[in-house]
C-alpha cells in the first residue's frame, strides 16, 4: 500500500468511528504534511482519493471537510433479459437524430459520448507535433505506412507487458481511433448475415457497425456491475452460430460494468472452447478509480482469439484519432483490411503521442484525470439521489464517466430527451443501446465535464422533467 493510500485509510477509519464528524475540517495540506512527515503531494493524493469516495469534499479557499451527508447507495438497475432471437439492426437513424444535439456548444452535454477536452494536455501534445515531424526520417513514412509508427507500437507493447500480456509490436496495428480497429476486427471474422453476440445494453456504435455490415445481433444478459453473464453467453453459443463477440469487459458503455478478472478468464476460456473470436473494446480501461488498472481479457488469451482494441481518445488525446488493435491470430488479415481501406493513420498524430509517452507526464496526467472523474461521479450521484423520482435506479461504476439510470416505468426516455433538449440539455435515451430499442425507461448520463457550471442545474432539470413524466411535477427547488 502506498503512503497516500495508508493516510487515506487512516482518515477513513476516523470518519467511520465518528472521531471526525460530518462537516468538520480536515488538517490543511501543510499541517498534515508537517505532522505526518509526508510530502504535500502525498496529502493531496490521499485527499483526492477520499473525495472520489465521497467521504470528504473540498470547499474553495477553505480546505477539505468531512462530507455533511454521505450519499446513500441507490439500488442498481436490474439485469436485462434479452430475447432469444438474433436481430437485424436498424438503429442509425435514431442515433443520428438523438446525437446531433450533442454537437452544439450551447447544449449541456449530458448525452455526449466524450469527456471534456479541458481534461487533456492538448497544449503539451501540440508542442510535440513540429519537433517530431522535423526528426522524422523520410523512409519511415513508407516503412510505417499501414501498421503504424514503430516506436509507438513498441510503447504500446510495453504497456501490455506491464499488465502481464505478451504482445509483440508486429501484432499491433495503429488505427484511426478505436472505432476503426473494432470495425476492422469485425470485418476480419464475419461475412454479411453472420451472427455477432453483443452485451445488453450495448454501445450504439457497435450496433451501427453491425447494421453497416449487414450482420445480425444477438444480445447477452449483462449485469450492471459485473458485466457479461457467462451462463447467458453459454446459452447463446449453444443456440446460435455466433461468429464473433463484441464485448467491453472494462467499464462498459453504457452500464459502466467491470468484469472481475476471474470472469474475464472464464469468458476467454468459454469462447476458446467454441472457437469464437472476442473483439475486446477497452477504450475506458485507463479510467479506473481503484488502486490498479483492471486487466484486459487479452491477458488470458492463449489461442490468439482475443482482438484487443483501444485508443488514446478517451484518456489522452481526443481528436487525434489514434487507436490500435492487438489482433492475435488475425493480425495479418487486419493489416490487409487496413491497407485496402484507409491505408494509414495520420503520422503527425502518432508522432506527437509517441513523443509525449517518452516523457514522464503520462502517468501523472492519468492519476489527475481519474481523480477528477471520480469526484465528478460522486457529485452526479448526489444530485441524482436528491432530484430524480423515487424508484430511480443508478449504477455506481468503478471507472469511466457514464452513469446508467433505470427510471420508473412510466417515464419514456425518448420523450424525456426531447423535453430536455428543449431546455438545451442533451441526454442519451436507452432506446439507442439495444437492437430492439428495449430500454425505453433508461438513460445514460455523462458526468465527464468538470468545471461546466451548467451541469448541476442540468441534472436538477432532467430530474424535474422525469418527475413530470411520472405525473409528479416537482418545483425547481
Amino acid at each position: 500500500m502506498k503512503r497516500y493510500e495508508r493516510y487515506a485509510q487512516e482518515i477513513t477509519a476516523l470518519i467511520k468511528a465518528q472521531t471526525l464528524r460530518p462537516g468538520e475540517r480536515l488538517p490543511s495540506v501543510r499541517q498534515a504534511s508537517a505532522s505526518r512527515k509526508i510530502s504535500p503531494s502525498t496529502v493531496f493524493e490521499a485527499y483526492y482519493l477520499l473525495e472520489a469516495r465521497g467521504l470528504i469534499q473540498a470547499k474553495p479557499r477553505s480546505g477539505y471537510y468531512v462530507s455533511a451527508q454521505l450519499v446513500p447507495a441507490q439500488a442498481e438497475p436490474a439485469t436485462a433479459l434479452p430475447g432469444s432471437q438474433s436481430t437485424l439492426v436498424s438503429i442509425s437513424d435514431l442515433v443520428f437524430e438523438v446525437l446531433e444535439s450533442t454537437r452544439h456548444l450551447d447544449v449541456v452535454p449530458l448525452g455526449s459520448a466524450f469527456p471534456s477536452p479541458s481534461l487533456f494536455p492538448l497544449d503539451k501534445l501540440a508542442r510535440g507535433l513540429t519537433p517530431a515531424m522535423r526528426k522524422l526520417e523520410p523512409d519511415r513514412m513508407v516503412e510505417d505506412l499501414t501498421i503504424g509508427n514503430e516506436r509507438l507500437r513498441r510503447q504500446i507493447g510495453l504497456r501490455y507487458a506491464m499488465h502481464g500480456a505478451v504482445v509483440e509490436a508486429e501484432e499491433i496495428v495503429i488505427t484511426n481511433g478505436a472505432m476503426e480497429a473494432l470495425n476492422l476486427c469485425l470485418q476480419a471474422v464475419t461475412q454479411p448475415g453472420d451472427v455477432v453476440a453483443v452485451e445488453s445494453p450495448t454501445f450504439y456504435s457497435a450496433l451501427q457497425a453491425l447494421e453497416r455490415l449487414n450482420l445480425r445481433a444477438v444480445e447477452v444478459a449483462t449485469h450492471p456491475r459485473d458485466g457479461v453473464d457467462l451462463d447467458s453467453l453459454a446459452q447463446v453459443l449453444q443456440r446460435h452460430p455466433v461468429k464473433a463477440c463484441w464485448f467491453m469487459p472494462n467499464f462498459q458503455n453504457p452500464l459502466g460494468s467491470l468484469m472481475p478478472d476471474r470472469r474475464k478468464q472464464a469468458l476467454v476460456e468459454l469462447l476458446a472452447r467454441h472457437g469464437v473470436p472476442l473483439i475486446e473494446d477497452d477504450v475506458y480501461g485507463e479510467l479506473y478509480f481503484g488502486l490498479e488498472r483492471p486487466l484486459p481479457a487479452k491477458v488470458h488469451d492463449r489461442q490468439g482469439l482475443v482482438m484487443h482494441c483501444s485508443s488514446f481518445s478517451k484518456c489522452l488525446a481526443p481528436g487525434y484519432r489514434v487507436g490500435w488493435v492487438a489482433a492475435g491470430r488475425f493480425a495479418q488479415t487486419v493489416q490487409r483490411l487496413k491497407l485496402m481501406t484507409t491505408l494509414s493513420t495520420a503520422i503527425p498524430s502518432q508522432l506527437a503521442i509517441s513523443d509525449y509517452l517518452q516523457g514522464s507526464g503520462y502517468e501523472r496526467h492519468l492519476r489527475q484525470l481519474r481523480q477528477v472523474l471520480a469526484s465528478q461521479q460522486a457529485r452526479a450521484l448526489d444530485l441524482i439521489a436528491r432530484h430524480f423520482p423515487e424508484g430511480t435506479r443508478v449504477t455506481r461504476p468503478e471507472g469511466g464517466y457514464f452513469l446508467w439510470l433505470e427510471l420508473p416505468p412510466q417515464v419514456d426516455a425518448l420523450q424525456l430527451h426531447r423535453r430536455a433538449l428543449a431546455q438545451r440539455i442533451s441526454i442519451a435515451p436507452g432506446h439507442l443501446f439495444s437492437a430492439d430499442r428495449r430500454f425505453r425507461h433508461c438513460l445514460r448520463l455523462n458526468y465527464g465535464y468538470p468545471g461546466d457550471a451548467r451541469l448541476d442545474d442540468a441534472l436538477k432539470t432532467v430530474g424535474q422533467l422525469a418527475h413530470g413524466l411520472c405525473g409528479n411535477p416537482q418545483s425547481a427547488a
Side-chain angles (χ1 to χ4, degrees), residues 276-470:
V276 174
L278 170 62
I279 302 171
E280 181 180 13
D281 184 351
D282 193 22
V283 295
Y284 305 106
E286 294 286 7
L287 305 182
Y288 58 92
F289 301 158
L291 302 180
E292 295 181 350
R293 189 202 194 283
L295 296 176
K298 179 75 173 176
V299 169
H300 305 292
D301 186 24
R302 300 293 178 267
Q303 297 189 21
L305 284 169
V306 178
M307 311 165 78
H308 182 264
C309 304
S310 191
S311 83
F312 293 101
S313 297
K314 304 299 192 296
C315 61
L316 177 64
Y320 278 55
R321 306 305 301 148
V322 175
W324 73 88
V325 52
R329 67 167 71 171
F330 308 102
Q332 187 175 61
T333 304
V334 169
Q335 290 172 20
R336 290 176 176 175
L337 287 167
K338 169 78 175 175
L339 180 63
M340 290 189 292
T341 51
T342 58
L343 182 63
S344 177
T345 301
I347 291 173
S349 297
Q350 295 183 61
L351 294 178
I353 289 176
S354 179
D355 194 59
Y356 184 86
L357 295 179
Q358 282 291 105
S360 59
Y362 187 41
E363 293 300 332
R364 182 168 61 252
H365 156 71
L366 288 175
R367 286 196 299 271
Q368 293 170 347
L369 176 60
R370 294 169 196 138
Q371 291 161 358
V372 170
L373 291 177
S375 178
Q376 282 290 109
Q377 186 195 99
R379 187 171 187 83
L381 287 168
D382 177 46
L383 289 164
I384 291 166
R386 289 194 278 123
H387 297 288
F388 277 65
E390 184 177 355
T392 296
R393 295 168 171 258
V394 60
T395 55
R396 204 179 189 101
E398 298 176 47
Y401 50 89
F402 295 124
L403 296 174
W404 178 254
L405 280 68
E406 182 183 313
L407 299 167
Q410 60 267 44
V411 178
D412 185 308
L414 195 55
Q415 189 177 1
L416 180 61
H417 152 74
R418 289 169 178 151
R419 293 191 180 188
L421 192 57
Q423 302 204 35
R424 313 309 292 164
I425 303 166
S426 75
I427 60 174
H431 305 64
L432 302 180
F433 300 94
S434 174
D436 59 9
R437 307 186 186 187
R438 182 161 16 92
F439 298 96
R440 58 173 302 278
H441 64 289
C442 299
L443 66 143
R444 187 197 69 187
L445 293 178
N446 180 337
Y447 56 81
Y449 277 76
D452 190 329
R454 305 171 299 168
L455 289 183
D456 286 14
D457 286 341
L459 280 169
K460 294 176 188 177
T461 298
V462 174
Q464 290 158 9
L465 293 172
H467 272 282
L469 291 172
C470 287

Side-chain angles (χ1 to χ4, degrees), residues 12 40 143 153 232:
T12 300
E143 196 169 328
R153 287 185 290 112
S232 175

Side-chain angles (χ1 to χ4, degrees), residues 3 36 101 121 130 154-155 164 187 191 194 212 221 224 229 253 311 325 338 345 360:
R3 284 186 177 183
R36 300 302 303 273
S101 62
T130 301
R154 283 192 282 104
Q155 289 166 323
Q187 293 173 65
Q191 297 292 328
D194 283 347
R212 182 177 64 83
D229 184 302
N253 181 358
S311 83
V325 52
K338 169 78 175 175
T345 301
S360 59

